[in-house]
Amino acid sequence: MPKKQKTTKDLLQAPKGMRDFIGDDFYKKQGFYEKAQEIAEYYGFSGIEVPMLEHEEIFSKGVGDNTDIVEKEMYRLKTKGGDKLVMRPEGTAGIMRSYIEHGMGSLPQPIFLYYGGPFFRHERPQKGRYRQLYQFGLEIIGSEKAVLDAITIQTGYQILKETGREITVKINTLGDAEVRKEHLKLLKAFYRKNKKLLSTKDLDRLQTNPLRVLDSKEKLTMELNENAPTFISTLNNESKKHFKLVLEYLDAAHIPYEIDNTLVRGLDYYTHTVFEYVTYDDKGESSLALGGGGRYDGLAKVMGHTKDVPAVGLGIGVDRSIEISKEDSFNPKIRKKPKFYFIQLGYEAKAKAFDIIEILRKKKYAVKHSLAKNKLGLQLKKAEDLKIPYALIFGKKEAIDGTVIVRNMKSRKQETVEISDLSDYLKTLK
Ligand code: HAM
């Protein structure tokens, strides 16, 4: 069927599932990244930025051909030169590509990296689900130590706690490649035995990606899954040891967690630990995942690297975290609360005000000003509404005398100060 032409009204709307960040939304997002970066830096991570486009194979091999993300949700494009590129649906595969490309394996291991920005998934938009979504991610590449799984979980947990909400970690293990293979056999046998309880969608998944049946949201399948064989019961000694250590470290870090036997996550690259963060509402219902991650020891090889590179990481959903965060959780540092409202009146004052405003900026005073406004009364009202403690009044007379009136907005006391003394005088004000 030919697609209906979009009207001008349609075209003047952001594409479906994508949105503008305006006013508070803009600053909250920025504040979130600032806080997340500060915590990640503290835990030893360094920033990295990789392109938003990658070769299609980075994700089809890395994330997995039969995952929802690759099969249904990728934005693909073909360049004029014929390259097949995709808009990144997630961060891990691109970061691993960068690690391999730049030979980071020859540096002291492991490498701690953080990144952030937009990702693209052609999902059905709904609350908390966007087609252009934002993540903050962590990856620790080059070591299989269990303590690194715990550091990843701890760093993400501390970032999410900044929302002001109680955060819980849901955790599971998929074991190593050997366990996964063995477990897949057990699972397939289990589901085949119970085939009549499965919907057509789950029967399809059984063919293409049986692990995803564990993730099913169908009521009957969810009930069935309560009796499905668990990874924990299939673990070999190595995998058991790894998981036990991770849990011991989480206990030591006082991180509340629940073991969730059906947690498998929607990406193929995971081995051993997988986890997600949720918060509960008053009715005890858990939120959409605020973030998730796990170990991915097999990814580098699957992407074509010659060596195995053990690694662990996570992605935090910035949109969802901001949506559930309490008021004032993420005020960015550049949004300082102004202490002074600079009021200028008339042409002479406006012209001279440029210099004064610049002196105050260099001294790092938080000043609000608007050279486009004229009326004293209106500007004083604005300063009052914004609860700014002092007004600096600069009119024609002051411009000629080289002074500024400093007015305490609460007591209404005023002081006339020479421009050359202004900066020092402001320093004395509380
Ligand atoms: P993911 O679970 O696909 O993992 O995404 C991480 C988080 O991004 C989710 O928990 C959710 O909060 C957010 N998210 C995902 N899709 C959407 C959407 N459509 N709208 C809004 N938020 C969304 C990854 O992407 C892995 N790369 C994480 C990782 C890093 N594993 C190891 N290292």
Side-chain angles (χ1 to χ4, degrees):
M1 210 170 63
K3 258 200 131 181
K4 218 176 103 199
Q5 276 259 292
K6 292 219 183 296
T7 63
T8 308
K9 191 166 163 244
D10 292 335
L11 294 171
L12 289 174
Q13 310 245 336
K16 207 165 156 189
M18 305 193 178
R19 64 202 172 122
D20 305 315
F21 286 80
I22 299 170
D24 275 355
D25 289 344
F26 175 91
Y27 288 107
K28 270 193 165 181
K29 177 151 75 67
Q30 172 151 346
F32 181 91
Y33 279 119
E34 257 179 30
K35 199 37 119 205
Q37 265 184 274
E38 183 189 313
I39 296 173
E41 290 272 346
Y42 178 78
Y43 276 94
F45 293 83
S46 304
I48 182 171
E49 193 169 332
V50 297
M52 272 179 231
L53 301 180
E54 296 275 356
H55 293 292
E56 183 168 349
E57 289 76 9
I58 293 292
F59 301 107
S60 53
K61 284 189 186 161
V63 176
D65 264 331
N66 290 322
T67 58
D68 281 354
I69 292 181
V70 171
E71 206 173 53
K72 304 188 198 130
E73 297 167 4
M74 279 204 309
Y75 284 86
R76 296 178 160 81
L77 54 106
K78 213 164 161 185
T79 66
K80 283 186 179 156
D83 284 343
K84 283 195 208 153
L85 301 182
V86 296
M87 303 192 46
R88 59 182 189 185
E90 63 98 50
T92 312
I95 300 286
M96 184 55 94
R97 192 266 310 136
S98 177
Y99 175 95
I100 298 168
E101 176 178 341
H102 298 286
M104 289 188 217
S106 57
L107 302 171
Q109 303 293 297
I111 310 274
F112 281 55
L113 299 169
Y114 70 78
Y115 56 93
F119 295 85
F120 303 88
R121 298 184 187 179
H122 198 268
E123 296 197 69
R124 213 167 51 167
Q126 49 185 284
K127 197 173 156 40
R129 191 155 302 200
Y130 302 97
R131 290 183 173 175
Q132 176 169 331
L133 59 123
Y134 291 80
Q135 282 189 8
F136 180 80
L138 304 173
E139 313 291 351
I140 305 180
I141 310 184
S143 167
E144 69 260 300
K145 290 201 177 111
V147 69
L148 299 172
D149 305 31
I151 287 179
T152 306
I153 296 171
Q154 157 79 331
T155 311
Y157 175 71
Q158 294 304 341
I159 292 171
L160 282 169
K161 280 224 330 203
E162 292 290 330
T163 58
R165 304 285 295 255
E166 294 288 326
I167 304 294
T168 300
V169 178
K170 292 191 173 184
I171 191 165
N172 193 17
T173 174
L174 310 180
D176 56 18
E178 181 193 314
V179 172
R180 199 176 164 122
K181 217 163 114 196
E182 180 59 29
H183 193 67
L184 271 180
K185 265 197 244 156
L186 294 176
L187 265 185
K188 278 189 203 160
F190 171 79
Y191 287 128
R192 279 204 201 103
K193 224 167 50 192
N194 294 287
K195 238 175 175 169
K196 37 182 196 323
L197 296 174
L198 296 181
S199 63
T200 25
K201 201 169 161 194
D202 284 335
L203 283 171
D204 276 353
R205 284 171 156 171
L206 184 56
Q207 293 306 319
T208 53
N209 196 352
L211 276 188
R212 298 294 297 177
V213 187
L214 277 175
D215 235 9
S216 172
K217 300 288 172 278
E218 310 275 339
K219 196 166 169 276
L220 279 181
T221 316
M222 281 168 80
E223 277 168 24
L224 181 66
N225 280 339
E226 281 172 25
N227 298 315
T230 63
F231 270 101
I232 290 180
S233 59
T234 323
L235 292 185
N236 54 23
N237 279 344
E238 273 305 297
S239 303
K240 214 178 277 173
K241 210 166 107 195
H242 186 92
F243 194 48
K244 192 164 166 271
L245 263 177
V246 175
L247 298 184
E248 279 169 14
Y249 286 125
L250 295 189
D251 286 332
H254 315 290
I255 299 175
Y257 64 82
E258 294 164 6
I259 295 179
D260 179 346
N261 288 316
T262 61
L263 182 69
V264 288
R265 313 236 328 111
L267 306 93
D268 273 1
Y269 49 58
Y270 292 114
T271 48
H272 292 290
T273 321
V274 284
F275 58 91
E276 279 181 356
Y277 300 95
V278 292
T279 186
Y280 289 98
D281 65 15
D282 297 340
K283 287 188 223 122
E285 305 230 351
S286 80
S287 63
L288 287 172
L290 301 172
R295 195 158 257 294
Y296 49 96
D297 295 347
L299 175 64
K301 262 227 176 117
V302 172
M303 286 172 64
H305 193 42
T306 44
K307 276 190 272 176
D308 267 330
V309 182
V312 58
L314 61 75
I316 293 179
V318 178
D319 311 83
R320 293 180 189 174
S321 303
I322 290 173
E323 270 159 27
I324 58 105
S325 72
K326 299 225 162 120
E327 195 66 26
D328 275 347
S329 296
F330 298 111
N331 281 326
K333 289 202 183 87
I334 55 156
R335 282 237 115 178
K336 284 190 208 133
K337 225 173 160 295
K339 190 167 167 191
F340 304 106
Y341 195 104
F342 189 88
I343 298 170
Q344 29 56 45
L345 306 156
Y347 169 76
E348 286 86 350
K350 270 194 212 311
K352 264 200 171 172
F354 279 97
D355 279 347
I356 301 175
I357 290 170
E358 197 49 20
I359 290 169
L360 297 175
R361 184 184 72 80
K362 289 206 173 113
K363 293 280 180 196
K364 298 199 171 8
Y365 288 113
V367 181
K368 184 147 183 80
H369 52 85
S370 169
L371 281 171
K373 295 219 164 63
N374 262 329
K375 294 224 166 69
L376 176 66
L378 280 182
Q379 295 191 72
L380 279 174
K381 168 127 191 353
K382 186 92 204 237
E384 221 165 65
D385 290 349
L386 294 171
K387 297 197 172 62
I388 298 177
Y390 298 95
L392 310 177
I393 305 167
F394 191 53
K396 190 172 174 184
K397 180 173 181 309
E398 288 74 32
I400 293 166
D401 295 350
T403 57
V404 175
I405 297 171
V406 180
R407 177 188 172 94
N408 182 319
M409 293 297 295
K410 208 166 186 187
S411 67
R412 303 192 172 172
K413 268 201 200 133
Q414 300 196 158
E415 195 82 37
T416 303
V417 183
E418 300 274 329
I419 292 176
S420 53
D421 298 337
L422 183 64
S423 176
D424 285 341
Y425 178 78
L426 297 186
K427 221 184 286 169
T428 64
L429 299 178
K430 272 206 262 93

